Amino acid sequence: MAELLADDAVFYAEQIRGQRFRGREEIESYLGSTGFEASGYNYTPVDDEYAVVTVSLRRHLASGGLADSTLAMVFKAEGDEIVCVDAFATEHQAIESVARRAA
């Protein structure tokens, strides 16, 4: 099971990295269009430039089961849009990535 979820985290990151949004509704819509249900959003400002948005994701498996995981997205504001610059399996990893960018 852990291997399945680890693969999901990589897949989610590949799907959302570089995407531009104008708010939570667009993020939810995008995730929904790729087959994921999103819930439980958490917003964490990291500095003046970046924020981390963590969301619980669920996808329906072909076998009839469900796979739940967490996606932590690093966002940067650009004009009236927010851009997902990277994504991770945990909020801690996402916040650490912002710290490395600043170093």
Side-chain angles (χ1 to χ4, degrees):
M1 177 65 91
E3 289 175 357
L4 257 180
L5 295 179
D7 289 344
D8 279 352
V10 171
F11 177 73
Y12 298 146
E14 291 172 0
Q15 290 291 312
I16 201 161
R17 191 178 291 120
Q19 296 294 321
R20 295 175 171 274
F21 304 99
R22 290 201 167 120
R24 178 179 171 167
E25 294 80 20
E26 285 189 12
I27 296 169
E28 285 179 350
S29 177
Y30 176 79
L31 291 170
S33 74
T34 58
F36 305 112
E37 297 172 21
S39 64
Y41 284 79
N42 183 52
Y43 171 84
T44 305
V46 180
D47 60 22
D48 291 339
E49 209 172 355
Y50 295 97
V52 172
V53 174
T54 307
V55 61
S56 297
L57 292 178
R58 170 172 282 177
R59 77 177 162 96
H60 296 269
L61 301 173
S63 63
L66 299 170
D68 292 335
S69 59
T70 301
L71 177 66
M73 301 166 283
V74 177
F75 282 104
K76 179 179 181 179
E78 289 186 5
D80 63 347
E81 296 180 315
I82 54 173
V83 179
C84 181
V85 295
D86 215 341
F88 300 89
T90 69
E91 181 181 48
H92 180 73
Q93 291 170 325
I95 291 171
E96 281 183 344
S97 81
V98 174
R100 284 191 304 272
R101 289 174 193 276

